Amino acid sequence: EVTAAAATRCPLNRLMMQSEATLLRASVAAGGQHSVFIDGEGRLFSSGNEATEISSDEEEELDPAAGLLGHGEGVTRLTSPTALPSLLGGEHAESVSAGIHHSLAIAADGSVWSWGCG
């Protein structure tokens, strides 16, 4: 259950409409500030933000994890799940995982693909 106080600190975002629920049929992975999805047809989607805060003794700064979302340079924020350009050598995705600065996918042929910083 989400309390009112928790919802104020971290508001819930509805990522998709009910009719788009098939997007979540296969697999979902959450990274530091991004998520990766596989739909029922093995297509990859991502959403989130590439920038992550780094704490240091002197100051806080944003460290962009270039390519983290998988949509090429310049795409640093996606507010809804967006299909990735052709990846995985034309194979369908079977599984996804996400770290703080990177994402991984296993293709139907068993190959492992990564993007982001890591």
Side-chain angles (χ1 to χ4, degrees):
E1 179 179 338
V2 177
T3 65
T8 301
R9 286 191 314 274
C10 297
L12 298 173
N13 294 317
R14 186 174 184 168
L15 291 178
M16 63 199 67
M17 301 302 294
Q18 188 71 22
S19 63
E20 297 171 309
T22 57
L23 181 63
L24 299 178
R25 192 181 312 166
S27 185
V28 178
Q33 292 187 26
H34 75 291
S35 298
V36 185
F37 313 87
I38 302 174
D39 73 1
E41 296 179 16
R43 296 174 298 191
L44 289 169
F45 292 75
S46 69
S47 66
N49 187 356
E50 286 192 350
T52 57
E53 291 184 24
I54 294 179
S55 298
S56 69
D57 292 339
E58 297 176 14
E59 62 184 50
E60 287 190 12
E61 59 185 63
L62 289 179
D63 175 35
L68 174 67
L69 298 175
H71 293 271
E73 289 185 36
V75 179
T76 60
R77 182 181 175 115
L78 296 168
T79 58
S80 63
T82 304
L84 273 71
S86 179
L87 288 175
L88 311 182
E91 293 288 328
H92 293 294
E94 295 288 326
S95 179
V96 290
S97 181
I100 294 175
H101 295 288
H102 69 287
S103 298
L104 299 160
I106 298 176
D109 67 358
S111 60
V112 178
W113 296 74
S114 92
W115 58 98
C117 185

